[in-house]
Amino acid sequence: MTATFYLGEQSSISIIDFKAFLDGSRRLEVSNAIVTSFKETGFVYLINHGVPKDKIDGMFEWSNRFFSQSLETKKLAPHPLEGTHHRGYSHVGMEKVSQHVYDPDEQKTLRQVADMKESFESGREDDEVQPNIWLPEEYPLLMSTNLGQICYGVEMNILRASAIGLGLPEDYLTNFHTKADNQLRLLRYPSVPLESLERDEIVRISAHSDYASITLLFQDHIGGLEVEDPKRPGSFKPATPVPGSMVVNAGDFMARWSNDTIRSTVHRVRAPPGLKTDNGMTPERYSIPYFCASDLDTVVDCLPGTYSDDNPKKYEAISAKQYIMKRLATAY
Protein backbone atom coordinates (compact mmCIF):
# COMPACT_ATOMS: atom_id res chain seq x y z
CA MET A 1 0.00 0.00 0.00
CA THR A 2 1.63 3.26 -1.16
CA ALA A 3 -1.31 5.66 -1.47
CA THR A 4 -0.94 9.19 -0.13
CA PHE A 5 -3.61 8.63 2.53
CA TYR A 6 -1.58 5.73 3.92
CA LEU A 7 1.21 7.22 6.00
CA GLY A 8 3.01 4.10 7.20
CA GLU A 9 2.84 1.96 10.33
CA GLN A 10 3.59 2.14 14.03
CA SER A 11 4.16 -1.32 15.54
CA SER A 12 2.36 -2.86 12.52
CA ILE A 13 -0.69 -0.59 13.07
CA SER A 14 -1.57 1.41 9.96
CA ILE A 15 -1.46 5.23 10.08
CA ILE A 16 -4.16 6.63 7.77
CA ASP A 17 -5.12 10.17 6.80
CA PHE A 18 -8.91 10.26 7.25
CA LYS A 19 -9.23 13.53 5.35
CA ALA A 20 -9.33 11.62 2.06
CA PHE A 21 -12.54 9.97 3.27
CA LEU A 22 -14.10 13.11 4.72
CA ASP A 23 -13.51 15.24 1.61
CA GLY A 24 -14.72 12.45 -0.67
CA SER A 25 -11.52 12.21 -2.72
CA ARG A 26 -10.57 8.62 -1.76
CA ARG A 27 -13.52 7.22 0.15
CA LEU A 28 -13.32 3.64 -1.07
CA GLU A 29 -9.55 3.39 -0.72
CA VAL A 30 -9.55 4.78 2.81
CA SER A 31 -12.49 2.56 3.78
CA ASN A 32 -10.71 -0.53 2.50
CA ALA A 33 -7.49 0.46 4.28
CA ILE A 34 -9.28 0.92 7.62
CA VAL A 35 -11.07 -2.42 7.39
CA THR A 36 -7.85 -4.15 6.33
CA SER A 37 -6.14 -2.75 9.42
CA PHE A 38 -9.08 -3.87 11.59
CA LYS A 39 -8.81 -7.36 10.11
CA GLU A 40 -5.05 -7.59 10.56
CA THR A 41 -4.42 -5.87 13.90
CA GLY A 42 -7.79 -4.63 15.19
CA PHE A 43 -6.29 -1.12 15.45
CA VAL A 44 -5.65 1.90 13.25
CA TYR A 45 -4.19 5.38 13.77
CA LEU A 46 -6.24 8.15 12.12
CA ILE A 47 -4.99 11.67 11.53
CA ASN A 48 -7.19 14.54 10.27
CA HIS A 49 -9.99 12.63 11.98
CA GLY A 50 -12.33 15.55 12.51
CA VAL A 51 -11.87 16.33 16.21
CA PRO A 52 -10.39 19.85 16.61
CA LYS A 53 -7.11 20.00 18.53
CA ASP A 54 -8.41 22.71 20.87
CA LYS A 55 -11.28 20.44 21.95
CA ILE A 56 -8.88 17.61 22.74
CA ASP A 57 -6.50 19.94 24.59
CA GLY A 58 -9.43 21.40 26.51
CA MET A 59 -10.58 18.00 27.69
CA PHE A 60 -7.08 17.03 28.82
CA GLU A 61 -6.92 20.30 30.77
CA TRP A 62 -10.33 19.57 32.34
CA SER A 63 -9.13 16.06 33.18
CA ASN A 64 -6.01 17.40 34.87
CA ARG A 65 -8.05 19.85 36.95
CA PHE A 66 -10.54 17.20 37.99
CA PHE A 67 -7.96 14.63 39.08
CA SER A 68 -5.92 17.30 40.89
CA GLN A 69 -8.75 17.73 43.41
CA SER A 70 -8.74 15.95 46.74
CA LEU A 71 -9.93 12.36 46.88
CA GLU A 72 -12.72 13.50 49.20
CA THR A 73 -14.01 15.93 46.57
CA LYS A 74 -13.77 13.46 43.69
CA LYS A 75 -15.73 10.89 45.67
CA LEU A 76 -18.69 13.30 45.72
CA ALA A 77 -19.42 11.94 42.21
CA PRO A 78 -19.03 8.23 43.09
CA HIS A 79 -19.12 5.43 40.56
CA PRO A 80 -21.72 2.93 41.82
CA LEU A 81 -20.35 -0.33 43.19
CA GLU A 82 -21.97 -2.27 40.37
CA GLY A 83 -20.14 -2.10 37.04
CA THR A 84 -23.34 -1.97 35.00
CA HIS A 85 -23.77 1.73 35.87
CA HIS A 86 -20.52 2.96 34.34
CA ARG A 87 -20.64 6.63 35.34
CA GLY A 88 -18.90 8.90 37.84
CA TYR A 89 -15.55 8.72 39.61
CA SER A 90 -13.61 5.50 40.30
CA HIS A 91 -10.70 5.77 42.72
CA VAL A 92 -7.37 3.98 42.30
CA GLY A 93 -7.89 0.23 42.67
CA MET A 94 -11.69 0.27 42.35
CA GLU A 95 -11.81 -1.25 38.85
CA LYS A 96 -9.93 -4.41 37.93
CA VAL A 97 -9.50 -5.43 34.29
CA SER A 98 -7.76 -8.74 33.58
CA GLN A 99 -9.93 -11.02 31.49
CA HIS A 100 -7.28 -11.83 28.87
CA VAL A 101 -4.42 -13.66 30.54
CA TYR A 102 -3.26 -17.00 29.18
CA ASP A 103 -1.67 -18.44 32.33
CA PRO A 104 -4.31 -19.40 34.98
CA ASP A 105 -1.87 -18.78 37.84
CA GLU A 106 -1.01 -15.35 36.42
CA GLN A 107 -4.72 -14.58 36.04
CA LYS A 108 -5.33 -15.42 39.70
CA THR A 109 -2.38 -13.28 40.78
CA LEU A 110 -3.43 -10.28 38.68
CA ARG A 111 -6.93 -10.33 40.13
CA GLN A 112 -5.30 -9.70 43.51
CA VAL A 113 -3.29 -6.70 42.25
CA ALA A 114 -5.09 -3.37 42.03
CA ASP A 115 -5.17 -1.38 38.78
CA MET A 116 -3.16 1.79 39.42
CA LYS A 117 -5.49 4.23 37.71
CA GLU A 118 -8.41 6.52 38.47
CA SER A 119 -11.18 7.47 36.08
CA PHE A 120 -14.27 9.56 35.51
CA GLU A 121 -17.04 8.41 33.14
CA SER A 122 -19.92 10.22 31.50
CA GLY A 123 -22.38 9.70 28.66
CA ARG A 124 -25.31 11.43 27.03
CA GLU A 125 -27.46 13.43 29.43
CA ASP A 126 -30.74 11.72 28.47
CA ASP A 127 -29.45 8.19 29.05
CA GLU A 128 -32.08 6.47 31.22
CA VAL A 129 -30.07 3.25 31.60
CA GLN A 130 -26.87 4.91 32.83
CA PRO A 131 -27.59 8.48 34.01
CA ASN A 132 -24.57 10.70 34.54
CA ILE A 133 -23.13 11.28 37.99
CA TRP A 134 -21.63 14.77 38.40
CA LEU A 135 -20.04 16.63 41.28
CA PRO A 136 -22.51 18.71 43.33
CA GLU A 137 -23.39 22.08 41.80
CA GLU A 138 -21.25 24.01 44.27
CA TYR A 139 -18.18 22.55 42.58
CA PRO A 140 -17.66 24.49 39.33
CA LEU A 141 -15.69 21.78 37.51
CA LEU A 142 -18.23 20.80 34.89
CA MET A 143 -17.46 19.53 31.41
CA SER A 144 -16.23 22.58 29.53
CA THR A 145 -16.13 20.97 26.10
CA ASN A 146 -18.57 19.04 23.93
CA LEU A 147 -15.95 16.44 23.06
CA GLY A 148 -18.42 13.58 23.46
CA GLN A 149 -20.80 15.08 20.89
CA ILE A 150 -17.94 15.69 18.46
CA CYS A 151 -16.64 12.14 18.96
CA TYR A 152 -20.10 10.77 18.17
CA GLY A 153 -19.96 12.48 14.79
CA VAL A 154 -16.50 11.03 14.15
CA GLU A 155 -17.72 7.60 15.25
CA MET A 156 -20.47 7.74 12.64
CA ASN A 157 -17.97 8.58 9.90
CA ILE A 158 -15.71 5.70 10.93
CA LEU A 159 -18.72 3.35 10.92
CA ARG A 160 -19.63 4.56 7.44
CA ALA A 161 -16.10 3.85 6.25
CA SER A 162 -16.14 0.45 7.95
CA ALA A 163 -19.42 -0.48 6.27
CA ILE A 164 -18.07 0.50 2.86
CA GLY A 165 -14.88 -1.48 3.51
CA LEU A 166 -16.99 -4.52 4.40
CA GLY A 167 -18.97 -4.22 1.17
CA LEU A 168 -22.15 -3.08 2.94
CA PRO A 169 -24.38 -0.04 2.32
CA GLU A 170 -22.77 3.07 3.82
CA ASP A 171 -25.49 3.52 6.44
CA TYR A 172 -25.65 -0.14 7.49
CA LEU A 173 -23.72 0.24 10.76
CA THR A 174 -24.82 3.80 11.58
CA ASN A 175 -28.44 2.62 11.54
CA PHE A 176 -27.61 0.59 14.65
CA HIS A 177 -25.85 3.49 16.43
CA THR A 178 -28.53 6.20 16.54
CA LYS A 179 -28.71 6.87 20.32
CA ALA A 180 -25.04 7.43 21.19
CA ASP A 181 -25.09 4.81 23.95
CA ASN A 182 -21.47 5.66 24.55
CA GLN A 183 -19.03 6.35 27.34
CA LEU A 184 -16.42 9.11 27.54
CA ARG A 185 -13.76 8.14 30.05
CA LEU A 186 -11.09 10.38 31.56
CA LEU A 187 -8.14 8.33 32.81
CA ARG A 188 -5.18 9.21 35.00
CA TYR A 189 -2.39 6.80 35.80
CA PRO A 190 -0.47 8.15 38.82
CA SER A 191 3.30 8.10 39.06
CA VAL A 192 4.44 4.72 40.42
CA PRO A 193 7.77 2.96 41.05
CA LEU A 194 9.10 1.74 37.70
CA GLU A 195 10.62 -1.40 39.19
CA SER A 196 7.32 -2.45 40.78
CA LEU A 197 5.53 -1.95 37.46
CA GLU A 198 8.11 -3.97 35.52
CA ARG A 199 7.86 -6.81 38.05
CA ASP A 200 4.04 -6.83 37.83
CA GLU A 201 3.84 -6.10 41.55
CA ILE A 202 1.47 -3.35 40.48
CA VAL A 203 -0.31 -2.86 37.15
CA ARG A 204 -1.86 0.01 35.26
CA ILE A 205 -4.30 -1.97 33.10
CA SER A 206 -3.80 -5.67 32.51
CA ALA A 207 -4.34 -7.34 29.14
CA HIS A 208 -7.96 -6.91 28.04
CA SER A 209 -10.16 -6.22 25.04
CA ASP A 210 -12.87 -3.56 24.78
CA TYR A 211 -16.52 -4.55 24.90
CA ALA A 212 -18.47 -2.55 22.34
CA SER A 213 -18.30 -1.64 18.63
CA ILE A 214 -15.26 0.62 18.38
CA THR A 215 -13.16 2.77 20.71
CA LEU A 216 -11.67 6.18 19.90
CA LEU A 217 -8.60 6.94 22.02
CA PHE A 218 -6.65 10.13 22.65
CA GLN A 219 -3.41 9.64 24.57
CA ASP A 220 -0.84 12.07 25.89
CA HIS A 221 2.82 11.97 24.82
CA ILE A 222 3.96 9.69 27.66
CA GLY A 223 3.15 6.32 26.08
CA GLY A 224 2.65 2.93 27.67
CA LEU A 225 -0.15 1.48 25.55
CA GLU A 226 0.77 -1.96 24.20
CA VAL A 227 -1.12 -4.06 21.62
CA GLU A 228 -0.92 -7.83 21.32
CA ASP A 229 0.80 -9.17 18.21
CA PRO A 230 -1.94 -11.22 16.43
CA LYS A 231 0.74 -13.57 15.09
CA ARG A 232 2.23 -14.16 18.54
CA PRO A 233 -0.44 -14.42 21.28
CA GLY A 234 0.92 -13.21 24.59
CA SER A 235 3.52 -10.97 22.93
CA PHE A 236 2.90 -7.21 22.94
CA LYS A 237 4.19 -4.25 20.93
CA PRO A 238 4.10 -0.58 22.03
CA ALA A 239 1.48 1.62 20.36
CA THR A 240 3.62 4.74 20.59
CA PRO A 241 1.69 8.04 20.48
CA VAL A 242 1.57 9.56 16.98
CA PRO A 243 1.21 13.37 17.17
CA GLY A 244 -2.20 14.58 16.04
CA SER A 245 -3.62 11.08 15.79
CA MET A 246 -6.57 9.25 17.22
CA VAL A 247 -6.17 5.54 17.93
CA VAL A 248 -9.22 3.52 16.87
CA ASN A 249 -9.76 -0.11 17.76
CA ALA A 250 -12.57 -2.59 17.23
CA GLY A 251 -14.29 -4.08 20.26
CA ASP A 252 -15.58 -7.55 21.09
CA PHE A 253 -19.12 -6.75 19.97
CA MET A 254 -17.88 -5.69 16.53
CA ALA A 255 -15.75 -8.83 16.27
CA ARG A 256 -18.76 -10.98 17.17
CA TRP A 257 -20.99 -8.99 14.81
CA SER A 258 -18.53 -9.54 11.94
CA ASN A 259 -18.20 -13.26 12.66
CA ASP A 260 -14.59 -12.55 13.68
CA THR A 261 -13.79 -11.02 10.30
CA ILE A 262 -12.67 -7.96 12.30
CA ARG A 263 -10.33 -8.46 15.25
CA SER A 264 -10.89 -7.25 18.78
CA THR A 265 -7.28 -7.18 19.86
CA VAL A 266 -6.03 -7.52 23.41
CA HIS A 267 -4.13 -4.50 24.75
CA ARG A 268 -2.72 -3.24 28.04
CA VAL A 269 -0.97 -0.25 29.64
CA ARG A 270 2.47 -0.65 31.19
CA ALA A 271 5.59 1.49 31.58
CA PRO A 272 6.64 3.38 28.43
CA PRO A 273 9.35 1.40 26.55
CA GLY A 274 12.94 2.39 27.28
CA LEU A 275 11.91 4.71 30.08
CA LYS A 276 14.83 6.22 31.99
CA THR A 277 14.17 7.99 35.28
CA ASP A 278 16.31 9.79 37.83
CA ASN A 279 14.06 8.97 40.78
CA GLY A 280 12.86 5.50 39.76
CA MET A 281 9.27 6.70 39.26
CA THR A 282 7.21 6.56 36.09
CA PRO A 283 5.62 9.83 34.97
CA GLU A 284 1.86 10.10 35.37
CA ARG A 285 -0.13 9.38 32.21
CA TYR A 286 -3.45 10.72 30.94
CA SER A 287 -5.69 9.28 28.24
CA ILE A 288 -9.27 9.75 27.02
CA PRO A 289 -11.08 6.80 25.44
CA TYR A 290 -14.55 7.14 23.92
CA PHE A 291 -16.30 3.77 23.88
CA CYS A 292 -18.90 3.45 21.10
CA ALA A 293 -21.78 1.01 21.52
CA SER A 294 -24.70 0.18 19.28
CA ASP A 295 -28.24 1.00 20.39
CA LEU A 296 -28.78 -1.14 23.48
CA ASP A 297 -32.23 -2.37 22.45
CA THR A 298 -31.00 -3.59 19.06
CA VAL A 299 -30.57 -7.30 18.45
CA VAL A 300 -27.85 -7.98 15.88
CA ASP A 301 -26.84 -11.02 13.91
CA CYS A 302 -23.68 -11.69 11.90
CA LEU A 303 -23.15 -9.07 9.20
CA PRO A 304 -24.02 -9.99 5.62
CA GLY A 305 -20.99 -11.27 3.74
CA THR A 306 -19.18 -12.47 6.88
CA TYR A 307 -20.54 -16.01 6.82
CA SER A 308 -21.18 -18.76 4.28
CA ASP A 309 -21.59 -22.52 4.02
CA ASP A 310 -17.81 -22.84 4.29
CA ASN A 311 -17.63 -20.24 7.08
CA PRO A 312 -20.81 -20.63 9.14
CA LYS A 313 -21.99 -18.24 11.84
CA LYS A 314 -20.01 -18.64 15.07
CA TYR A 315 -22.43 -16.68 17.26
CA GLU A 316 -26.13 -16.44 17.96
CA ALA A 317 -27.98 -13.16 17.62
CA ILE A 318 -27.74 -11.02 20.78
CA SER A 319 -28.74 -7.58 22.00
CA ALA A 320 -26.09 -4.99 22.76
CA LYS A 321 -27.58 -4.40 26.22
CA GLN A 322 -27.46 -8.09 27.11
CA TYR A 323 -23.87 -8.44 25.94
CA ILE A 324 -22.28 -5.19 27.13
CA MET A 325 -23.91 -5.01 30.56
CA LYS A 326 -22.72 -8.53 31.31
CA ARG A 327 -19.17 -7.55 30.37
CA LEU A 328 -19.21 -4.30 32.33
CA ALA A 329 -20.32 -6.05 35.50
CA THR A 330 -17.17 -8.20 35.62
CA ALA A 331 -14.82 -5.20 36.08
CA TYR A 332 -16.16 -4.04 39.49
Side-chain angles (χ1 to χ4, degrees), residues 77-90:
H79 187 298
L81 293 179
E82 69 273 14
T84 52
H85 189 175
H86 231 35
R87 298 291 186 263
Y89 172 71
S90 298

Side-chain angles (χ1 to χ4, degrees), residues 264-285:
S264 177
T265 303
V266 175
H267 49 286
R268 65 188 185 185
V269 176
R270 293 168 66 88
L275 179 65
K276 305 294 183 182
T277 68
D278 294 329
N279 59 3
M281 301 292 288
T282 63
E284 63 179 3
R285 177 182 185 265

Side-chain angles (χ1 to χ4, degrees), residues 2 53 70 232 256 258 314 331:
T2 58
K53 183 178 182 300
S70 69
R232 299 175 59 197
R256 180 187 178 112
S258 70
K314 300 178 182 178

Side-chain angles (χ1 to χ4, degrees), residues 126-143:
D126 59 346
D127 190 336
E128 297 178 354
V129 176
Q130 298 188 76
N132 284 322
I133 300 172
W134 301 106
L135 288 174
E137 291 184 1
E138 60 265 30
Y139 293 89
L141 284 173
L142 298 174
M143 290 291 190

Side-chain angles (χ1 to χ4, degrees), residues 1-58:
M1 193 186 307
T2 58
T4 55
F5 61 83
Y6 177 76
L7 304 178
E9 295 180 345
Q10 176 64 258
S11 297
S12 301
I13 301 172
S14 297
I15 305 172
I16 295 173
D17 188 343
F18 202 46
K19 181 181 178 181
F21 178 86
L22 297 177
D23 66 16
S25 62
R26 307 289 290 276
R27 286 170 61 83
L28 179 59
E29 293 95 332
V30 171
S31 298
N32 288 339
I34 289 174
V35 169
T36 295
S37 193
F38 279 161
K39 289 179 178 179
E40 292 178 349
T41 66
F43 276 75
V44 64
Y45 290 92
L46 295 183
I47 66 166
N48 293 320
H49 38 67
V51 182
K53 183 178 182 300
D54 66 312
K55 294 295 184 181
I56 301 171
D57 292 343

Side-chain angles (χ1 to χ4, degrees), residues 41 102 226-230 232-237 265-267:
T41 66
Y102 297 97
E226 295 182 350
V227 175
E228 186 175 48
D229 184 346
R232 299 175 59 197
S235 176
F236 290 78
K237 295 182 178 181
T265 303
V266 175
H267 49 286

